Amino acid sequence: MITAAGYRVICPDLRGAGWTVADDPHIERKTRLRDLLALLDVLDIERAHVVSHDMGTITAMQLTYEHPERVRAAVQLSVPPGFMSFSPKLLPGFEHLPAFIWHRPGASVRGTFSERYAARPMSEATADAHLAPMRLPEIDSAVRPLCRRMILPEALRIMRGIYRRRRLTVPTLAVFGRRDRPWTEENMGRACRDPERYADRFELAYVDDAAHFITDDAPAAVADVTLDWFERAA
């Protein structure tokens, strides 16, 4: 749908995920940001709309704050904004992290694709496709450093209120599935209260019959809200 609307779509495998080899064992908080900037430069893309999900949103968020001149508009899926206020009610949203922080090479992460995270049961074929890159030792061994050196430092910055002391100038839309607990409208309304204090333009949106894997649960609805945001943010 997005290409049909006239957009060129680029879906990079970020370092340590997909089929990209994690050739640097010293991954840190901004490693992927530097990779993304290099990719934009190589492709001669001055500014782009950026759509991100889950771990990729960390890199996208860094891009919007550190290099807003490179982003036209941002859509982040299933992840709250950096300026959110932390609440104990949100803790269940992080219960999957320990398995990744202490991941042992070869250990299965198939539980991540369970009904806890998907509104509709994923087929074995779909889960296998997501997990296929984990058969590469380079990808499997990147799980722990990505969590320990990228996710945890950024999570601590959010909890310390670093982004509440900065201004988000890129028009940003955060989209959640209505069945993605604990990221409910009520909880997010509290966590993102008074967004105009921290962002020039920020909105929340919700998709029915979708959980954390929102693009698997409701791809057409995600495309619709994304295109609508691109048009309204222009």
Side-chain angles (χ1 to χ4, degrees), residues 19-143:
W19 294 103
T20 299
V21 175
D23 57 357
D24 183 358
H26 303 293
I27 292 172
E28 49 87 31
R29 190 172 67 87
K30 290 187 176 182
T31 298
R32 284 180 161 190
L33 173 61
R34 290 192 291 270
D35 289 346
L36 184 55
L37 287 168
L39 177 63
L40 292 175
D41 289 342
V42 166
L43 296 177
D44 198 26
I45 298 173
E46 184 177 350
R47 297 177 70 215
H49 293 292
V50 178
V51 181
S52 59
H53 178 260
D54 196 85
M55 192 185 299
T57 298
I58 293 177
T59 302
M61 185 177 68
Q62 292 172 347
L63 183 67
T64 59
Y65 276 97
E66 302 293 338
H67 299 276
E69 74 283 356
R70 306 300 298 267
V71 187
R72 295 179 182 277
V75 176
Q76 54 189 66
L77 307 173
S78 306
V79 177
F83 61 77
M84 76 169 187
S85 297
F86 186 77
S87 164
K89 290 185 176 181
L90 300 177
L91 281 174
F94 302 95
E95 63 185 14
H96 62 287
L97 279 181
F100 289 89
I101 295 170
W102 286 282
H103 176 74
R104 292 177 292 102
S108 174
V109 294
R110 183 172 286 272
T112 308
F113 301 95
S114 68
E115 61 183 15
R116 164 70 176 78
Y117 302 100
R120 296 179 179 83
M122 279 194 188
S123 68
E124 288 296 310
T126 298
D128 287 342
H130 280 298
L131 291 168
M134 295 289 290
R135 293 196 297 266
L136 295 175
E138 301 93 337
I139 300 302
D140 194 21
S141 63
V143 172

Side-chain angles (χ1 to χ4, degrees), residues 207-222:
V207 171
D208 293 330
D209 299 320
H212 179 75
F213 286 104
I214 190 170
T215 53
D216 289 272
D217 287 331
V222 170

